[in-house]
Amino acid sequence: MGNEQKIRIKVLPYAKNPEFEQRESGIAHTSYAEEEAFYSLIERGDTESIRQALQNYISATVVVGHLSDNATRQMQYWAVCCITLGIRRAIRGGLDEMTAFNLSDQYIMQIDRLSSAEEILAYLEKIVVELTQLVHERSVSRYPAQIRQCLHYIEQHLHESIGIGDLAGIAHFSTDYFRKYFKKYVGVTPGQYIMEQKLRYAREMLEKGFDQRTIAYYLGFCSQTYFITCFKKAYGLTPHQYVVRSAK
């Protein structure tokens, strides 16, 4: 969105009897039904509709409660409320809890660094789209409970060597049956999925400035050379080439 197209926010004035004042003025908080309709789009991972919903907000005005006499803190407090609600809906939509809660911490830390309402609103718009996209890409809600438990275990233990037997034990299946069951629902073997997730996380680490040797060590690759080979096979670029291209 351009700088000329920003969501408009109206903060209710402080009142000792807010219900009375809001009935008199006819201006109250944006309704729960509108809020529920908006956050349900995050839960569904509906990226197209969430962008349209943001556009709709431009032509309206979001009314929020009086949270602070300081204008910046008012927006920061409201932003934290929005992030908390959005993260919970993303988890309900199937985003892994570990990923979601860590994102929440990162988002709130960034909100704490921002010093103007305009910056906070722009960042919230970015968060909404990003979170909805992540639910769309990584949602596990369509999988049976045994698969969801295993995927969560993999997410939590990417720094370790994850054995098929460990996952089969979580699902309470034999190893042979688990392999077939996992591929039926996820579309790849457990080993392929683990590798995909390790390499996805490797990309994130590269973007954060980790070097190849460190990444190979933390993600349990037997050597830096093997890590580079696997990375290039998956993405068509070596880790170094990926970093160079991302920096452009």
Side-chain angles (χ1 to χ4, degrees), residues 8 10 18 24 42 46 68-69 76 110 119 129 155 158 160 164 168 175 178 194 196 235 237 239:
R8 289 175 289 182
K10 180 177 180 59
E24 280 294 297
I42 296 176
D46 191 341
S68 174
D69 291 330
Q76 288 174 325
Q110 181 61 26
E119 289 177 318
V129 175
E155 186 71 23
L158 285 176
E160 304 168 25
I164 305 302
T175 302
F178 174 73
I194 292 168
E196 287 176 359
Y235 302 120
L237 298 168

PDB file of all heavy atoms in Angstrom, residues 8 10 18 24 42 46 68-69 76 110 119 129 155 158 160 164 168 175 178 194 196 235 237 239:
ATOM      1  N   ARG A   8      -7.336   3.931   8.763  1.00  0.00           N
ATOM      2  CA  ARG A   8      -7.633   5.035   9.668  1.00  0.00           C
ATOM      3  C   ARG A   8      -8.091   4.481  11.015  1.00  0.00           C
ATOM      4  O   ARG A   8      -8.949   3.608  11.084  1.00  0.00           O
ATOM      5  CB  ARG A   8      -8.706   5.939   9.061  1.00  0.00           C
ATOM      6  CG  ARG A   8      -8.200   6.749   7.871  1.00  0.00           C
ATOM      7  CD  ARG A   8      -9.299   7.537   7.221  1.00  0.00           C
ATOM      8  NE  ARG A   8     -10.223   6.670   6.501  1.00  0.00           N
ATOM      9  CZ  ARG A   8     -11.262   7.110   5.801  1.00  0.00           C
ATOM     10  NH1 ARG A   8     -11.518   8.391   5.745  1.00  0.00           N
ATOM     11  NH2 ARG A   8     -12.037   6.268   5.168  1.00  0.00           N
ATOM     12  N   LYS A  10      -9.562   5.441  14.867  1.00  0.00           N
ATOM     13  CA  LYS A  10     -10.160   6.414  15.782  1.00  0.00           C
ATOM     14  C   LYS A  10     -10.079   5.843  17.187  1.00  0.00           C
ATOM     15  O   LYS A  10     -10.555   4.735  17.433  1.00  0.00           O
ATOM     16  CB  LYS A  10     -11.610   6.712  15.415  1.00  0.00           C
ATOM     17  CG  LYS A  10     -12.272   7.723  16.351  1.00  0.00           C
ATOM     18  CD  LYS A  10     -13.686   8.043  15.911  1.00  0.00           C
ATOM     19  CE  LYS A  10     -14.341   9.053  16.853  1.00  0.00           C
ATOM     20  NZ  LYS A  10     -13.589  10.324  16.917  1.00  0.00           N
ATOM     21  N   PRO A  18     -17.755   4.921  30.099  1.00  0.00           N
ATOM     22  CA  PRO A  18     -17.611   4.787  28.642  1.00  0.00           C
ATOM     23  C   PRO A  18     -18.870   4.293  27.938  1.00  0.00           C
ATOM     24  O   PRO A  18     -19.165   4.738  26.832  1.00  0.00           O
ATOM     25  CB  PRO A  18     -16.467   3.780  28.501  1.00  0.00           C
ATOM     26  CG  PRO A  18     -16.394   3.067  29.806  1.00  0.00           C
ATOM     27  CD  PRO A  18     -16.821   4.055  30.838  1.00  0.00           C
ATOM     28  N   GLU A  24     -24.300   7.838  23.825  1.00  0.00           N
ATOM     29  CA  GLU A  24     -24.650   9.221  23.493  1.00  0.00           C
ATOM     30  C   GLU A  24     -24.059   9.644  22.148  1.00  0.00           C
ATOM     31  O   GLU A  24     -24.722  10.274  21.328  1.00  0.00           O
ATOM     32  CB  GLU A  24     -24.144  10.171  24.588  1.00  0.00           C
ATOM     33  CG  GLU A  24     -25.019  10.229  25.814  1.00  0.00           C
ATOM     34  CD  GLU A  24     -26.378  10.836  25.500  1.00  0.00           C
ATOM     35  OE1 GLU A  24     -26.419  12.017  25.113  1.00  0.00           O
ATOM     36  OE2 GLU A  24     -27.391  10.122  25.611  1.00  0.00           O
ATOM     37  N   ILE A  42      -7.102 -15.018   8.579  1.00  0.00           N
ATOM     38  CA  ILE A  42      -5.765 -15.486   8.961  1.00  0.00           C
ATOM     39  C   ILE A  42      -5.817 -16.969   9.256  1.00  0.00           C
ATOM     40  O   ILE A  42      -4.968 -17.742   8.798  1.00  0.00           O
ATOM     41  CB  ILE A  42      -5.247 -14.708  10.177  1.00  0.00           C
ATOM     42  CG1 ILE A  42      -5.073 -13.220   9.840  1.00  0.00           C
ATOM     43  CG2 ILE A  42      -3.928 -15.307  10.683  1.00  0.00           C
ATOM     44  CD1 ILE A  42      -4.642 -12.357  11.014  1.00  0.00           C
ATOM     45  N   ASP A  46      -6.246 -17.397   4.033  1.00  0.00           N
ATOM     46  CA  ASP A  46      -6.853 -16.848   2.819  1.00  0.00           C
ATOM     47  C   ASP A  46      -6.137 -15.556   2.427  1.00  0.00           C
ATOM     48  O   ASP A  46      -6.569 -14.453   2.781  1.00  0.00           O
ATOM     49  CB  ASP A  46      -8.341 -16.599   3.064  1.00  0.00           C
ATOM     50  CG  ASP A  46      -9.106 -16.290   1.792  1.00  0.00           C
ATOM     51  OD1 ASP A  46      -8.469 -15.909   0.788  1.00  0.00           O
ATOM     52  OD2 ASP A  46     -10.345 -16.439   1.800  1.00  0.00           O
ATOM     53  N   SER A  68      -4.026   4.357  26.383  1.00  0.00           N
ATOM     54  CA  SER A  68      -2.959   5.165  26.975  1.00  0.00           C
ATOM     55  C   SER A  68      -3.157   6.622  26.601  1.00  0.00           C
ATOM     56  O   SER A  68      -3.698   6.928  25.532  1.00  0.00           O
ATOM     57  CB  SER A  68      -1.583   4.686  26.477  1.00  0.00           C
ATOM     58  OG  SER A  68      -0.555   5.546  26.943  1.00  0.00           O
ATOM     59  N   ASP A  69      -2.710   7.518  27.488  1.00  0.00           N
ATOM     60  CA  ASP A  69      -2.753   8.947  27.170  1.00  0.00           C
ATOM     61  C   ASP A  69      -1.619   9.342  26.236  1.00  0.00           C
ATOM     62  O   ASP A  69      -1.637  10.419  25.648  1.00  0.00           O
ATOM     63  CB  ASP A  69      -2.664   9.781  28.457  1.00  0.00           C
ATOM     64  CG  ASP A  69      -3.915   9.639  29.314  1.00  0.00           C
ATOM     65  OD1 ASP A  69      -4.998   9.421  28.736  1.00  0.00           O
ATOM     66  OD2 ASP A  69      -3.800   9.728  30.547  1.00  0.00           O
ATOM     67  N   GLN A  76       1.002   1.192  20.245  1.00  0.00           N
ATOM     68  CA  GLN A  76       1.785  -0.006  20.555  1.00  0.00           C
ATOM     69  C   GLN A  76       0.942  -1.026  21.302  1.00  0.00           C
ATOM     70  O   GLN A  76       0.972  -2.221  20.987  1.00  0.00           O
ATOM     71  CB  GLN A  76       3.025   0.373  21.382  1.00  0.00           C
ATOM     72  CG  GLN A  76       4.088   1.099  20.584  1.00  0.00           C
ATOM     73  CD  GLN A  76       5.224   1.586  21.455  1.00  0.00           C
ATOM     74  OE1 GLN A  76       5.018   1.983  22.602  1.00  0.00           O
ATOM     75  NE2 GLN A  76       6.438   1.574  20.917  1.00  0.00           N
ATOM     76  N   GLN A 110       9.560  -5.701  17.653  1.00  0.00           N
ATOM     77  CA  GLN A 110       9.659  -4.678  16.617  1.00  0.00           C
ATOM     78  C   GLN A 110       8.686  -3.527  16.885  1.00  0.00           C
ATOM     79  O   GLN A 110       9.045  -2.350  16.710  1.00  0.00           O
ATOM     80  CB  GLN A 110       9.387  -5.286  15.242  1.00  0.00           C
ATOM     81  CG  GLN A 110       9.498  -4.310  14.084  1.00  0.00           C
ATOM     82  CD  GLN A 110      10.875  -3.693  13.951  1.00  0.00           C
ATOM     83  OE1 GLN A 110      11.887  -4.286  14.362  1.00  0.00           O
ATOM     84  NE2 GLN A 110      10.946  -2.488  13.407  1.00  0.00           N
ATOM     85  N   GLU A 119       4.263   4.220  11.349  1.00  0.00           N
ATOM     86  CA  GLU A 119       5.165   3.065  11.275  1.00  0.00           C
ATOM     87  C   GLU A 119       4.499   1.812  11.820  1.00  0.00           C
ATOM     88  O   GLU A 119       4.619   0.723  11.252  1.00  0.00           O
ATOM     89  CB  GLU A 119       6.440   3.339  12.083  1.00  0.00           C
ATOM     90  CG  GLU A 119       7.375   4.368  11.479  1.00  0.00           C
ATOM     91  CD  GLU A 119       8.572   4.626  12.368  1.00  0.00           C
ATOM     92  OE1 GLU A 119       8.405   4.727  13.600  1.00  0.00           O
ATOM     93  OE2 GLU A 119       9.691   4.703  11.829  1.00  0.00           O
ATOM     94  N   VAL A 129      -0.414  -9.871   6.379  1.00  0.00           N
ATOM     95  CA  VAL A 129      -0.206 -10.598   5.126  1.00  0.00           C
ATOM     96  C   VAL A 129       0.785 -11.739   5.325  1.00  0.00           C
ATOM     97  O   VAL A 129       0.558 -12.873   4.866  1.00  0.00           O
ATOM     98  CB  VAL A 129       0.278  -9.642   4.020  1.00  0.00           C
ATOM     99  CG1 VAL A 129       0.612 -10.425   2.747  1.00  0.00           C
ATOM    100  CG2 VAL A 129      -0.785  -8.586   3.724  1.00  0.00           C
ATOM    101  N   GLU A 155       9.694 -29.946  14.012  1.00  0.00           N
ATOM    102  CA  GLU A 155       9.953 -28.504  14.111  1.00  0.00           C
ATOM    103  C   GLU A 155      10.761 -28.169  15.369  1.00  0.00           C
ATOM    104  O   GLU A 155      11.655 -27.319  15.338  1.00  0.00           O
ATOM    105  CB  GLU A 155       8.628 -27.739  14.120  1.00  0.00           C
ATOM    106  CG  GLU A 155       8.764 -26.230  14.079  1.00  0.00           C
ATOM    107  CD  GLU A 155       9.235 -25.705  12.730  1.00  0.00           C
ATOM    108  OE1 GLU A 155       9.046 -26.397  11.713  1.00  0.00           O
ATOM    109  OE2 GLU A 155       9.805 -24.598  12.711  1.00  0.00           O
ATOM    110  N   LEU A 158      14.850 -29.738  15.065  1.00  0.00           N
ATOM    111  CA  LEU A 158      15.631 -29.611  13.839  1.00  0.00           C
ATOM    112  C   LEU A 158      17.131 -29.574  14.093  1.00  0.00           C
ATOM    113  O   LEU A 158      17.919 -29.860  13.195  1.00  0.00           O
ATOM    114  CB  LEU A 158      15.211 -28.344  13.065  1.00  0.00           C
ATOM    115  CG  LEU A 158      13.876 -28.431  12.319  1.00  0.00           C
ATOM    116  CD1 LEU A 158      13.550 -27.087  11.676  1.00  0.00           C
ATOM    117  CD2 LEU A 158      13.891 -29.522  11.267  1.00  0.00           C
ATOM    118  N   GLU A 160      18.643 -31.585  15.916  1.00  0.00           N
ATOM    119  CA  GLU A 160      19.034 -32.934  16.316  1.00  0.00           C
ATOM    120  C   GLU A 160      18.900 -33.902  15.151  1.00  0.00           C
ATOM    121  O   GLU A 160      18.295 -33.590  14.120  1.00  0.00           O
ATOM    122  CB  GLU A 160      18.159 -33.400  17.483  1.00  0.00           C
ATOM    123  CG  GLU A 160      18.185 -32.465  18.685  1.00  0.00           C
ATOM    124  CD  GLU A 160      17.108 -32.800  19.699  1.00  0.00           C
ATOM    125  OE1 GLU A 160      16.664 -33.983  19.727  1.00  0.00           O
ATOM    126  OE2 GLU A 160      16.704 -31.897  20.456  1.00  0.00           O
ATOM    127  N   ILE A 164      13.465 -42.121  12.183  1.00  0.00           N
ATOM    128  CA  ILE A 164      12.122 -42.551  11.776  1.00  0.00           C
ATOM    129  C   ILE A 164      11.462 -43.332  12.907  1.00  0.00           C
ATOM    130  O   ILE A 164      10.257 -43.217  13.148  1.00  0.00           O
ATOM    131  CB  ILE A 164      12.188 -43.416  10.496  1.00  0.00           C
ATOM    132  CG1 ILE A 164      12.922 -42.674   9.386  1.00  0.00           C
ATOM    133  CG2 ILE A 164      10.774 -43.794  10.046  1.00  0.00           C
ATOM    134  CD1 ILE A 164      12.326 -41.346   9.020  1.00  0.00           C
ATOM    135  N   ALA A 168       7.796 -42.789  14.498  1.00  0.00           N
ATOM    136  CA  ALA A 168       6.843 -43.905  14.520  1.00  0.00           C
ATOM    137  C   ALA A 168       6.349 -44.145  15.938  1.00  0.00           C
ATOM    138  O   ALA A 168       5.158 -44.439  16.158  1.00  0.00           O
ATOM    139  CB  ALA A 168       7.495 -45.162  13.948  1.00  0.00           C
ATOM    140  N   THR A 175       7.404 -48.959  12.287  1.00  0.00           N
ATOM    141  CA  THR A 175       8.194 -48.097  11.410  1.00  0.00           C
ATOM    142  C   THR A 175       7.750 -48.215   9.958  1.00  0.00           C
ATOM    143  O   THR A 175       7.593 -47.203   9.258  1.00  0.00           O
ATOM    144  CB  THR A 175       9.689 -48.461  11.515  1.00  0.00           C
ATOM    145  OG1 THR A 175      10.100 -48.320  12.876  1.00  0.00           O
ATOM    146  CG2 THR A 175      10.534 -47.556  10.646  1.00  0.00           C
ATOM    147  N   PHE A 178       4.370 -46.594   9.485  1.00  0.00           N
ATOM    148  CA  PHE A 178       4.466 -45.145   9.629  1.00  0.00           C
ATOM    149  C   PHE A 178       4.976 -44.494   8.347  1.00  0.00           C
ATOM    150  O   PHE A 178       4.477 -43.445   7.937  1.00  0.00           O
ATOM    151  CB  PHE A 178       5.388 -44.780  10.794  1.00  0.00           C
ATOM    152  CG  PHE A 178       5.635 -43.303  10.908  1.00  0.00           C
ATOM    153  CD1 PHE A 178       4.647 -42.455  11.377  1.00  0.00           C
ATOM    154  CD2 PHE A 178       6.857 -42.760  10.528  1.00  0.00           C
ATOM    155  CE1 PHE A 178       4.868 -41.086  11.451  1.00  0.00           C
ATOM    156  CE2 PHE A 178       7.091 -41.404  10.610  1.00  0.00           C
ATOM    157  CZ  PHE A 178       6.090 -40.562  11.078  1.00  0.00           C
ATOM    158  N   ILE A 194      11.957 -34.196   6.604  1.00  0.00           N
ATOM    159  CA  ILE A 194      12.938 -33.678   7.565  1.00  0.00           C
ATOM    160  C   ILE A 194      14.010 -32.872   6.842  1.00  0.00           C
ATOM    161  O   ILE A 194      14.383 -31.774   7.279  1.00  0.00           O
ATOM    162  CB  ILE A 194      13.567 -34.831   8.367  1.00  0.00           C
ATOM    163  CG1 ILE A 194      12.519 -35.471   9.291  1.00  0.00           C
ATOM    164  CG2 ILE A 194      14.768 -34.342   9.183  1.00  0.00           C
ATOM    165  CD1 ILE A 194      12.953 -36.791   9.900  1.00  0.00           C
ATOM    166  N   GLU A 196      13.697 -31.320   3.953  1.00  0.00           N
ATOM    167  CA  GLU A 196      13.077 -30.088   3.467  1.00  0.00           C
ATOM    168  C   GLU A 196      13.021 -29.030   4.573  1.00  0.00           C
ATOM    169  O   GLU A 196      13.311 -27.852   4.340  1.00  0.00           O
ATOM    170  CB  GLU A 196      11.659 -30.373   2.968  1.00  0.00           C
ATOM    171  CG  GLU A 196      11.593 -31.114   1.644  1.00  0.00           C
ATOM    172  CD  GLU A 196      10.167 -31.451   1.255  1.00  0.00           C
ATOM    173  OE1 GLU A 196       9.237 -31.124   2.040  1.00  0.00           O
ATOM    174  OE2 GLU A 196       9.977 -32.050   0.176  1.00  0.00           O
ATOM    175  N   TYR A 235      17.770 -26.193  -4.101  1.00  0.00           N
ATOM    176  CA  TYR A 235      17.477 -24.833  -4.537  1.00  0.00           C
ATOM    177  C   TYR A 235      18.222 -24.390  -5.792  1.00  0.00           C
ATOM    178  O   TYR A 235      17.986 -23.284  -6.293  1.00  0.00           O
ATOM    179  CB  TYR A 235      17.779 -23.844  -3.400  1.00  0.00           C
ATOM    180  CG  TYR A 235      16.986 -24.144  -2.147  1.00  0.00           C
ATOM    181  CD1 TYR A 235      17.623 -24.441  -0.949  1.00  0.00           C
ATOM    182  CD2 TYR A 235      15.594 -24.148  -2.171  1.00  0.00           C
ATOM    183  CE1 TYR A 235      16.903 -24.717   0.206  1.00  0.00           C
ATOM    184  CE2 TYR A 235      14.864 -24.424  -1.029  1.00  0.00           C
ATOM    185  CZ  TYR A 235      15.524 -24.708   0.159  1.00  0.00           C
ATOM    186  OH  TYR A 235      14.804 -24.993   1.291  1.00  0.00           O
ATOM    187  N   LEU A 237      21.226 -23.520  -6.034  1.00  0.00           N
ATOM    188  CA  LEU A 237      22.266 -22.560  -5.674  1.00  0.00           C
ATOM    189  C   LEU A 237      23.038 -23.093  -4.475  1.00  0.00           C
ATOM    190  O   LEU A 237      22.477 -23.794  -3.631  1.00  0.00           O
ATOM    191  CB  LEU A 237      21.649 -21.206  -5.265  1.00  0.00           C
ATOM    192  CG  LEU A 237      20.824 -20.434  -6.300  1.00  0.00           C
ATOM    193  CD1 LEU A 237      20.094 -19.303  -5.605  1.00  0.00           C
ATOM    194  CD2 LEU A 237      21.716 -19.897  -7.408  1.00  0.00           C
ATOM    195  N   PRO A 239      24.822 -22.370  -0.820  1.00  0.00           N
ATOM    196  CA  PRO A 239      24.469 -21.403   0.229  1.00  0.00           C
ATOM    197  C   PRO A 239      25.085 -20.021  -0.022  1.00  0.00           C
ATOM    198  O   PRO A 239      24.423 -19.001   0.182  1.00  0.00           O
ATOM    199  CB  PRO A 239      25.019 -22.053   1.498  1.00  0.00           C
ATOM    200  CG  PRO A 239      24.968 -23.525   1.207  1.00  0.00           C
ATOM    201  CD  PRO A 239      25.301 -23.647  -0.245  1.00  0.00           C
TER     202      PRO A 239
END
